[in-house]
Amino acid sequence: MRVLGIETSCDETAAAVVTEGGDVLSDVVRSQVALHAPYGGVVPEVAARDHARAVVPVVREALSRAGVSAADLDGVAVTSRPGLAGALLVGLQAAKGLAWAAGKPLVGVDHLVGHLLAVFLRRSGAPLPDEHERPSFPYVALLASGGHTAIYRVDGPAIGAIRELGATRDDAAGEAFDKVAKLLGLGYPGGPVVDRLAAGGDAAAAADAVPALMARKESLEFSFSGIKSAVARHVAKRGRPEGQALRDLCAAFQGAVVDALVQKTVRAARAEGIGRVVLAGGVAANQGLRATMAAACERRGLALFVPPFASCTDNGAMIAYAGALRLAAGERDTLDLAPETRTALPRVTRKGGGAR
């Protein structure tokens, strides 16, 4: 089975052709980073207009690289939720038009489910991994990105087999990285810059500038708005740091965020009695998170599975693969499929502060 996946939920126009087994035959991603950088964040209307310009060329390139035509496909998958409404609409209209014209089945994919299954993708013609190189169900997954941060128990690829164990009450982890980077004058997107600077910093030298993040042992929830405010107060009081002081502050900030993500993910795996942990989402590309999670899992006898960088950030391959599994299960959507800004995964963590 060969499925075309189209992803336009935020600021990447992406398309890929993937088999039911997870082999990536092509994967084309057109980033809008340079387009949104002057604004310090994604502008929804600008994103939607750029998707409209790019989606057809990107799809054509994905088909060309895979060496297939629309007639050769077994189905078309598209991100239908969650995301920016206008951006999602562009991808949906393109997918519907292609599926209708080629007489192929259409399936909508939840963007978060795509991330949670991206660990199964096989890129660059790599052979089928051994069983120990890919997770089996169930596993506990940390999904951390610019718009979402949550821990899930994944018992299977279907929506009903995925359960949230804890999530952020406010900002997502990637959102906190971008906001702190903006406060420090590091530009957009901020995550990669902070990660690079943190590698040369001493977190202990700036520990007084950042607070501990929801350290209650029994909680699997996150909150990142407080650390952003703490950095803002630090900058307002002392000015923007430079040189080693900047690297130290980045190290302290990233260390606090990473420690919270790692400790709660490991705690969730042990509470669920599951020995497999998966990283997913754009923040999973963070080197500090990867290293700290690997060390923590090794200490506790947990098997860690981390996708390659190309599978962490938004891409069409994860959408194609999740769609292929839906098609294989006999599921189909109609041309009435509409964009939804919220995920279909049930949420248990309530936004905002206050008693729980």
Side-chain angles (χ1 to χ4, degrees), residues 220-234:
L220 295 179
E221 297 180 354
F222 303 96
S223 175
F224 298 107
S225 63
I227 192 170
K228 172 202 65 180
S229 300
V231 173
R233 289 191 296 269
H234 180 80

Side-chain angles (χ1 to χ4, degrees), residues 202-222:
D202 178 9
D208 61 330
V210 296
L213 301 181
M214 288 192 66
R216 286 192 303 118
K217 291 185 178 180
E218 70 276 11
S219 173
L220 295 179
E221 297 180 354
F222 303 96

